[in-house]
Amino acid sequence: MDRWILLKHLEQFIQEDLGDGDITTRLCVEDEIVKGVVTSKEDFVLSGVREATVLFEDHGVEVKEYFDPGDRVGEGDVLMEVRGPASVILSLERLALNLIMRMSGIATKVRSMVDAAEGTVVACTRKTTPGFRYFEKKAVQDGGGDTHRMRLDDMVLVKDNHIALAGGLQEAIERAKKASFSKKIDVEVVDFEGAVIAAENGADIVMLDNMTPSEVERAYTKIKDIRKDILVEVSGNIDIYNVKDYTPHADVVSSGALTHSAPAVDVSMTIER
Amino acid sequence: MDRWILLKHLEQFIQEDLGDGDITTRLCVEDEIVKGVVTSKEDFVLSGVREATVLFEDHGVEVKEYFDPGDRVGEGDVLMEVRGPASVILSLERLALNLIMRMSGIATKVRSMVDAAEGTVVACTRKTTPGFRYFEKKAVQDGGGDTHRMRLDDMVLVKDNHIALAGGLQEAIERAKKASFSKKIDVEVVDFEGAVIAAENGADIVMLDNMTPSEVERAYTKIKDIRKDILVEVSGNIDIYNVKDYTPHADVVSSGALTHSAPAVDVSMTIER
Amino acid sequence: MDRWILLKHLEQFIQEDLGDGDITTRLCVEDEIVKGVVTSKEDFVLSGVREATVLFEDHGVEVKEYFDPGDRVGEGDVLMEVRGPASVILSLERLALNLIMRMSGIATKVRSMVDAAEGTVVACTRKTTPGFRYFEKKAVQDGGGDTHRMRLDDMVLVKDNHIALAGGLQEAIERAKKASFSKKIDVEVVDFEGAVIAAENGADIVMLDNMTPSEVERAYTKIKDIRKDILVEVSGNIDIYNVKDYTPHADVVSSGALTHSAPAVDVSMTIER
Amino acid sequence: MDRWILLKHLEQFIQEDLGDGDITTRLCVEDEIVKGVVTSKEDFVLSGVREATVLFEDHGVEVKEYFDPGDRVGEGDVLMEVRGPASVILSLERLALNLIMRMSGIATKVRSMVDAAEGTVVACTRKTTPGFRYFEKKAVQDGGGDTHRMRLDDMVLVKDNHIALAGGLQEAIERAKKASFSKKIDVEVVDFEGAVIAAENGADIVMLDNMTPSEVERAYTKIKDIRKDILVEVSGNIDIYNVKDYTPHADVVSSGALTHSAPAVDVSMTIER
Amino acid sequence: MDRWILLKHLEQFIQEDLGDGDITTRLCVEDEIVKGVVTSKEDFVLSGVREATVLFEDHGVEVKEYFDPGDRVGEGDVLMEVRGPASVILSLERLALNLIMRMSGIATKVRSMVDAAEGTVVACTRKTTPGFRYFEKKAVQDGGGDTHRMRLDDMVLVKDNHIALAGGLQEAIERAKKASFSKKIDVEVVDFEGAVIAAENGADIVMLDNMTPSEVERAYTKIKDIRKDILVEVSGNIDIYNVKDYTPHADVVSSGALTHSAPAVDVSMTIER
Amino acid sequence: MDRWILLKHLEQFIQEDLGDGDITTRLCVEDEIVKGVVTSKEDFVLSGVREATVLFEDHGVEVKEYFDPGDRVGEGDVLMEVRGPASVILSLERLALNLIMRMSGIATKVRSMVDAAEGTVVACTRKTTPGFRYFEKKAVQDGGGDTHRMRLDDMVLVKDNHIALAGGLQEAIERAKKASFSKKIDVEVVDFEGAVIAAENGADIVMLDNMTPSEVERAYTKIKDIRKDILVEVSGNIDIYNVKDYTPHADVVSSGALTHSAPAVDVSMTIER
């Protein structure tokens, strides 16, 4: 059924790019069967290729994939070959490449962080491109990361503004615990005292936001002492350079930049008869 | 009516983030009127703030804007203030910030190129994030750039694959000229010979792709010689460092990286009672 | 924003009932302002009245509510009064009443179970009417119950068929644990052995399905022994008559009949000038 | 084309249950071909099985149906067998069963009434679950009943509130007769006098609401005397116990409870390799 | 609620014309408040002006209407005045005029037929422009005509192909009578014998297709003899010139040309400061 | 991909006509395979047949086309044959014929103008039926004409109201030239002076509106003198009788009546076993 969900999104993207039709292709190209070869133009971690495949297949184009999502590919590698009507392949080319470029860019950035994090879970956030979240979350998974919340209805995440408006951390957690038993409760805190309150009052996850490695260590030790099952999430300007300072005392590191500032990778398609 | 068009898109983005509702805010926050202050955390060219305003206003939140799209803002500047029900502001906060972060990132990158291009038009391409093109094109405009084609139905753009399948450049242009008189015809060429053929056969725009500055100069001179009104577009790995090598002999420089690889800027919102 | 979500659904319901318009009202009724009074015709727990209010208000009708969702109302009680154009009130009357009838029916059934369960959480399931789940889950909450999963993407719930196809309980749980850290894992088991395996392998919730009260007691004791924080959910033909046999050893009782077989309550609207 | 109409509705129901995907099945189940067997767990009149078939077939699952809609089935009967990818069958299982459970519940209740009504037409009303009307009306037909109006644009039905606002029964009917010649006019009356006025002024159908059997008999005789072709519809708290008091003097009996308070039947699916 | 239904349609029409925005108005016009005056440039029966009003009002433009739908207007008459932001009025101008042009064209054609038909009901058919039926049927009503069926689910209309495939007229009618009691049954026949069979077997309406005036007279007399309440509809190349040959023996005349071949009327809008 | 775009539109048209289903066909016709033959009943230029083909094929009906769009067909010609389930063919018949009737009507009118225009481009306008523009523009192309703007975002077209509100022709053109380099600029003028200003200030197209043939000649000569590449469009009450007075001095003639007042052609379908 993932294919079905995917197609719902892809239909909108086709509409966005196609409008009333690819007027250039309609004029210049006759309806012959051609082959399109998608090639990597740099080294990266592949993502988006499955999505491009579904896009093409749903419009009658055969696809041969040469790699799996998450694979490392090198410059010059053939990523996929498509075979079908020239008009369809040319009209969908840009969208297919846009999917691969962006998703692989994210997967590549995530993989670097995952490698640096040495076993700690690496998660993205809700700092995604509006309209494209489903794909960016998927790219994070392809890179080896964790999606974190998909939407605001997904997990309870008590943040600074909720705490301020609830009138304090303890009161905010009390209220949060009225959520369905099926939901986890994640509480964002900014210091040791907050971490202790969150852990003692029933948070499933305590998110240590913008704390130093030594503060993180202290809070982590105390939290695990209170209840071993509580997950410790660390967040705030963590990148591949400093992530190792945190990972010994973190179950999860989360970073918005994984999705909001990953440069696209370079891929191209050439058509052959 | 731009507001109406904008709202159509924003509705989808709200749905994407909200799902069945912001369960944290629903549980933790009472329905009081609060103020939200959006602050810049670095220097950049502002974009997305108008879109965020429409988003908030359409849900009953008053907005004060402090800058116009395209303004340069500095770290610490207050970008906008919103006033309304806490539940609405908190539920829309992330989407509003995501719009500003990404659009300003693009506007900032475009502005650097515009400044470097010293009067030559700077245009983006169709290498945009699927589902978010309308906003990325708008950000390019806010940065001082040109949208280029919005969709495949917007202008005739004859590219390598069309030429190959049409059986040659001249034949491809002949076919393209059957387009409506209301459409421009842009022809992508890769060398001097192609440029001459395109110019002599009626292209409105000749796009010189991946040619060296000296090749561009030679083609430009010849094209203008053939017909002064033909626009010369230069494309292919042009960035702020090399753009000046091309601009003396280009009416337009176009670059996909303006939209596909612009890092987001950093902004945040704080809530006050 | 809950109002916004609600309206998305209500728009579809209006369309379903209205088609090309209420031809009777269009012909027979002039556009005067009238009052509509919604009255209870039996005793029940109220739900749907907030939804009816949003329905009317969004079409320019003023509403006075006399009770809150979850209140017990008696035969003859005035539930709400609406004031606006006759044509609007008559055209929306049936939909408004359909919402109140069904949702109150569910809330009433849930409340009986909640009262009988003496503190144990009462949850519904995904056995809801297609197209109406959002409202049935809301009615369960109004009755004092818990929504359980809203959708298949909401929580990991490992059931018999997953276990069979994964090749055993332990393997199924291993696989399930690859879910995002933000998700709980609920594991359905049918006997003591299963319960122990689930508890020892990291289930957040163990659902004891169709087990006798004494089996439930034994499993509950063991599970809590393994890890105190694991929730025990009991399911399978539980109703208000037998629920007390289970509640001493259950954190949650879940029942599909709460939504799939709750008879509607009786309400009516009279129009006054 | 009924399949096409059906699929439009089913798409929304899939979306409602699936969201971003069946995360449990995605994690726990490999893509093998399996068989699912849907079995009845009590005696009832079958409905919804055609709809479930279309649901499965549209996603590449083969279906064998063992009964027709409207058939009586017994406890333990195999209702349908499906064969296809495990991931698809598991993801659609709940929706398929929800369709069968609810629709069969209604069909069963309708059939009891039809059997009791001994030839008089049994009709439902617009008291259906919002979002699910198409299916509830279909279930009524499968049970042997009549759909009555599908929507407010379907037939003119003059009710108490229309009469009050039009300033009297006769005036309301005069106005109603301006409807298209293609529409029938049904007039709800509460006493003998009303019945006579409706019949004499051109109603196609006279609905006797909440009248006693003897009042119904008197009105029926008089109406048929006025014009033989007028249909007499009887409504208001009619159930299988009292329906026979009315049927000798009614062409149609209509009842809201057929759809709003029919308990679901019990069915289950088991998966086999 | 008719306004609500109308807006659903109008939204699609705006989208169709507006796309990503009125680029000319966006560039050339500042946001001042202006007045637009819609003037008739020939004599006709007015329709579409209510729809144009709703279009403008929904986008914040005030409207003064000078005539009611169905009024005859003369060359030079001011039909409506609008006052609001220049950008909105200019962007919606063409759609508003398109509505009035086409709908008035139809209303005018219908009115001529209604006048010629001297009391016999004049009805259109389903020969409407795809996507615009709701408006064409409304224009027919504004002209004084009858909508006939809105859709295929509206009335049973047994035509030649149904009769052929059912194996004869009588069998077709037998089957048709299994429709809901709420539906009328219209039977198309081509000769006297067919008319008699239809009338004797329970048709509510007998449609005499392509019969001569004297054949119509004979059939009409016989049908009314069989049952006075049966409506006689006459169809097939009836226009204002020959309609009077039929009307003495017809309750309804129906004509597809009323909607499929009505030339648009001429109206224009001028903008004043 | 044109088929994909087409289907999006067709789905809405099916919905419009079908509603909850073709109740007559459902009742009267069994599911046999039949043949439908679409025949021309007059001479005309064919259009809409490709669209009808896609409509049928997408619902499992085989189609044989006997002519291409743009072909002249004579009375009695078989236009297409369809073969498939009776229920599908009967339910789609009216929509298919409506497409062919209207589109051929337009193509026929356009062809007359094209023939009269002897080589000058014949273009339609935005005076199309709301909801049906895509098809009317296609019919214009089938007739040999030019689509002109599809939407308001398609080309800059500076008209009288823009000029008035911009404060003069020259200022309006200055503003218009800020449009993307990818767009043409068309300027509507009403006299010689305006034509000169438009041509000298950079219009790509000058539209001479409601000018006499001799005024057109004078303006044309001057415009071409200023810059040979500027296109001259002539508009305003041009029909097949007067078009030749303009064509010697026009590159394009545009006319709204081509779409807004083209009578439908007559076609019918007969079903055979």
Side-chain angles (χ1 to χ4, degrees), chain B residues 5-20:
Chain B
I5 299 170
L6 193 53
L7 282 169
K8 295 270 165 197
H9 292 280
L10 293 175
E11 295 257 310
Q12 292 192 31
F13 299 163
I14 299 173
Q15 185 65 55
E16 178 189 62
D17 194 31
L18 204 56
D20 280 334

Side-chain angles (χ1 to χ4, degrees), chain F residues 248-260:
Chain F
H249 305 103
D251 299 303
V252 180
V253 292
S254 57
S255 155
L258 296 174
T259 51
H260 72 59

Side-chain angles (χ1 to χ4, degrees), chain B residues 65-224:
Chain B
E65 293 184 36
Y66 289 97
F67 293 94
D68 285 319
D71 282 358
R72 286 184 191 282
V73 299
E75 190 186 336
D77 282 346
V78 171
L79 305 180
M80 64 195 296
E81 280 179 18
V82 300
R83 189 174 180 76
S87 66
V88 176
I89 291 175
L90 287 180
S91 296
L92 297 180
E93 173 189 349
R94 183 73 267 139
L95 174 51
L97 297 183
N98 280 347
L99 290 167
I100 297 172
M101 285 169 69
R102 274 166 180 68
M103 291 177 69
S104 295
I106 289 171
T108 303
K109 184 156 192 169
V110 169
R111 180 65 54 82
S112 303
M113 186 73 113
V114 167
D115 289 346
E118 293 179 326
T120 291
V121 168
V122 171
C124 62
T125 67
R126 280 170 46 247
K127 293 184 179 173
T128 56
T129 312
F132 198 57
R133 178 173 291 170
Y134 181 82
F135 296 83
E136 297 193 349
K137 294 282 188 181
K138 180 62 168 37
V140 168
Q141 288 183 302
D142 288 345
D146 188 298
T147 57
H148 214 298
R149 283 195 293 178
M150 292 298 287
R151 288 179 304 274
L152 285 162
D153 65 4
D154 220 25
M155 175 169 67
V156 180
L157 206 172
V158 181
K159 309 192 77 167
D160 51 354
N161 286 327
H162 301 109
I163 293 166
L165 292 171
L169 179 54
Q170 201 152 342
E171 174 63 16
I173 298 175
E174 273 328 295
R175 294 182 184 179
K177 280 158 70 179
K178 298 209 174 96
S180 168
F181 76 94
S182 63
K183 299 289 184 191
K184 284 197 178 175
I185 297 173
D186 191 348
V187 180
E188 183 185 286
V189 299
V190 293
D191 53 24
F192 181 80
E193 289 65 35
V196 173
I197 295 174
E200 284 179 340
N201 285 280
D204 295 297
I205 307 162
V206 179
M207 186 203 289
L208 309 176
D209 192 42
N210 277 311
M211 287 165 62
T212 64
S214 65
E215 289 172 327
V216 164
E217 177 171 1
R218 187 177 161 222
Y220 178 87
T221 310
K222 178 68 179 171
I223 291 166
K224 294 293 180 176

Side-chain angles (χ1 to χ4, degrees), chain D residues 103-115:
Chain D
M103 291 177 70
S104 296
I106 289 171
T108 304
K109 184 156 192 170
V110 169
R111 179 65 53 83
S112 303
M113 187 73 112
V114 167
D115 289 345

Side-chain angles (χ1 to χ4, degrees), chain E residues 36-51:
Chain E
V37 181
V38 179
T39 312
S40 161
K41 296 173 82 171
E42 57 179 305
D43 296 356
F44 57 82
V45 174
L46 186 63
S47 178
V49 79
R50 203 71 100 207
E51 288 69 22

Side-chain angles (χ1 to χ4, degrees), chain C residues 11 14-15 18-21 26 59 91, chain E residues 1-2 4-5 8-9 134 141 150-151:
Chain C
E11 295 258 310
I14 299 173
Q15 184 64 55
L18 203 57
D20 281 333
R26 198 188 284 160
H59 290 89
S91 296
Chain E
M1 298 304 299
D2 289 337
W4 181 87
I5 298 170
K8 295 269 165 201
H9 291 281
Y134 181 83
Q141 288 183 303
M150 293 298 288
R151 288 178 304 275

